[in-house]
Each structure stands twice: as C-alpha cells, then as structure tokens.
C-alpha cells in the first residue's frame, strides 16, 4: 500500500515542485534581466506588480531563504508532537475525498492485520490491540482501542464500531453478519480485499483529477507572469520614443 501511495502522489508532487522552480526562475533571473527595459515607461498594473514582486524577492533573497527554512523546520518539529498530529488528523478526516481515502486505508490495514492474527489463533482482544498499532491512523486506532475495552466488558465488535461516525456502515454490516456466522477472520479478509481495491480506484481518480488542476494552475501563474513581462515589450512606439 505504501508503494501505491508513493506512486500515486509522486507525479502531482513533481508538478508542484516544477511550478515552484519555474516561478523562482522567472522572479529571480528572467524578470530582473529585462527590468531595465521598462525604466521610464508607462506600465500596466500587472507588470508593475510583477516587477515589484521580483524586486522585493531579489532584495531580500537571504531573508526569504531563512524564513522558508525556519517555516520548514517548525512544521517538521510540530508534526512530531502528539497533539499536533491528533489535531491535523481530525482536520484531514473532515476534508472531502482526503478523509474518505484515509478511512479506507486505515480499515484496509486494520482488517488485514486483525484477520491475519485471528487466523493464527491470537485472541480477539489482543488482535485488536496489535491491529490498532498497525493502522497508523490515530483516530481509527483510538476507536479500535475503545472497542477493545468495551469487548472486555461483554460488547461486540460490530456494536461498538456502529457507535463511531468514522467506521463505514459496510464494515459494521459485514462484521455483524460474520459474528453471527462465526467467521470474523474470513470476513475481515474480505473487507480488506474490497477496501484495498476501492482505495486503489479512489486514489487513481483523485490523482487523475489533481493532475489537470495542477497543470492549469501552473499554466495560469506562469502565463500571468510572462504576459505581464512581455506585453509591454510589444509596444514598439514607446521604444522609438
């Protein structure tokens, strides 16, 4: 699953990095190299804005680099804090598409790991505790551990899962059927297989949607910068003057 996720997000990530590189090239090299051509000329608002942005960026390049490094380091350190991870996790779960993908991935990991341990003879309570660690998703892991505690008091997996808004109804229904038939491990494997296929399809659709959006964004930004810089050069009369 990890390799599939990396493969799915690698191309959009490269597009994003490419757009940043193009903008940096325009602001720090191309625009400054032609800035002298605009001196003493009447410029449109967009060109003035681009020239001003390029001028500020070049004047404070060291400060900008220090700021970017500081922000990157702060974000990296913050993401390692448990409270920040929990808050970010809850926020992402509420984001359309992304939250759905996170839930599917979590239950693929949970179902497969729990089924494997149950088939190996591990008791349900212990299997749930180990599966919670395999999920790598704090909200779902907390739900599993809460369910484990309730099972120790006599409840069932499907009943406790039904109490959480983050557990898909499909998982609850399948587990309810499996508990009545006594085939929980087999049903968990079935859920894992179905959700893995669904996750692959959803991830592919997401990246297929994201790629043209990124391309459009790159085209708009780069086109705006280029047109703002090149349009005044087409005014031949001002050069003659």
């Amino acid at each position: 699953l990890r390799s599939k996720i990396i493969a799915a997000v690698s191309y959009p990530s490269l597009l994003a990095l490419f757009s940043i590189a193009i903008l940096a090239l325009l602001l720090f090299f191309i625009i400054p190299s032609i800035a002298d051509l605009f001196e003493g000329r009447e410029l449109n608002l967009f060109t003035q804005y681009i020239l001003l942005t390029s001028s500020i960026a070049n004047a404070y390049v060291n400060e900008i680099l220090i700021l970017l490094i500081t922000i990157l380091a702060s974000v990296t350190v913050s993401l390692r804090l448990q409270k920040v991870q929990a808050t970010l996790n809850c926020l992402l779960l509420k984001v359309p598409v992304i939250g759905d993908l996170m839930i599917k991935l979590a239950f693929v990991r949970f179902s497969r790991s729990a089924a494997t341990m149950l088939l190996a003879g591990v008791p349900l309570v212990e299997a749930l505790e180990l599966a919670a660690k395999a999920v790598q998703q704090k909200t779902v892991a907390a739900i599993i551990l809460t369910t484990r505690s309730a099972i120790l008091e006599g409840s069932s997996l499907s009943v406790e899962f039904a109490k959480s808004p983050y557990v898909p109804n499909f998982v609850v229904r399948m587990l309810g059927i499996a508990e009545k038939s006594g085939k929980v491990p087999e049903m968990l494997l079935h859920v894992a297989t179905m959700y893995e296929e669904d996750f692959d399809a959803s991830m592919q659709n997401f990246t297929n949607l994201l790629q043209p959006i990124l391309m459009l964004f790159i085209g708009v930004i780069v086109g705006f910068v280029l047109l703002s810089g090149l349009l005044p050069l087409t005014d031949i009369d001002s050069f003659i003057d």
Side-chain angles (χ1 to χ4, degrees):
L1 284 175
R2 185 182 297 273
S3 61
K4 292 179 181 178
I5 295 172
I6 293 174
V9 301
S10 59
Y11 184 61
S13 300
L14 287 175
L15 284 178
L17 290 175
F18 177 73
S19 64
I20 294 173
I22 292 295
L23 285 175
L25 180 66
L26 289 170
L27 290 176
F28 290 101
F29 297 100
I30 296 178
I31 298 299
S33 67
I34 61 175
D36 292 341
L37 297 175
F38 301 119
E39 288 186 3
R41 301 181 60 200
E42 186 176 348
L43 302 173
N44 62 71
L45 183 62
F46 295 122
T47 302
Q48 292 179 36
Y49 173 76
I50 293 299
L51 288 174
L52 178 61
T53 303
S54 177
S55 176
I56 294 174
N58 281 275
Y60 297 98
V61 61
N62 292 330
E63 289 80 358
I64 292 174
L65 286 174
I66 292 173
L67 178 63
L68 289 175
I69 293 172
T70 302
I71 292 173
L72 182 61
S74 300
V75 170
T76 302
V77 172
S78 298
L79 288 176
R80 294 181 180 179
L81 300 176
Q82 295 292 333
K83 290 184 178 180
V84 175
Q85 290 180 1
T87 302
L88 181 62
N89 184 71
C90 290
L91 290 175
L92 288 176
L93 283 175
K94 296 177 182 179
V95 177
V97 181
I98 294 178
D100 185 54
L101 286 172
M102 291 174 64
I103 290 295
K104 289 176 181 177
L105 178 60
F107 276 96
V108 168
R109 289 170 172 167
F110 162 74
S111 300
R112 196 171 297 283
S113 58
T116 301
M117 286 181 282
L118 289 173
L119 289 172
V122 178
L124 177 60
V125 172
E126 186 177 347
L128 289 176
E129 183 177 2
L130 296 174
K133 298 177 182 178
V135 165
Q136 300 178 13
Q137 215 283 338
K138 293 186 179 298
T139 300
V140 175
I143 294 169
I144 296 170
L145 292 177
T146 301
T147 299
R148 173 185 175 275
S149 300
I151 288 175
L152 287 172
E153 297 176 1
S155 186
S156 67
L157 195 59
S158 60
V159 170
E160 293 305 314
F161 272 0
K163 297 177 181 179
S164 173
Y166 294 111
V167 180
N169 292 328
F170 173 77
V171 175
V172 175
R173 291 198 303 270
M174 292 298 100
L175 285 175
I177 295 171
E179 286 170 341
K180 293 178 181 178
S181 62
K183 296 183 178 181
V184 173
E186 292 81 1
M187 185 60 77
L188 284 172
L189 281 178
H190 176 65
V191 169
T193 301
M194 289 193 65
Y195 264 90
E196 185 169 0
E197 294 174 355
D198 195 17
F199 174 80
D200 290 343
S202 298
M203 195 69 181
Q204 186 62 47
N205 292 335
F206 177 67
T207 53
N208 289 341
L209 177 64
L210 187 62
Q211 288 173 14
I213 293 175
L214 284 174
M215 291 295 292
L216 179 62
F217 174 77
I218 295 171
V220 169
I221 296 297
V222 174
F224 172 76
V225 175
L226 286 176
L227 286 175
S228 298
L230 296 179
L231 276 178
L233 298 180
T234 62
D235 187 3
I236 301 176
D237 292 337
S238 64
F239 283 102
I240 295 175
D241 294 340

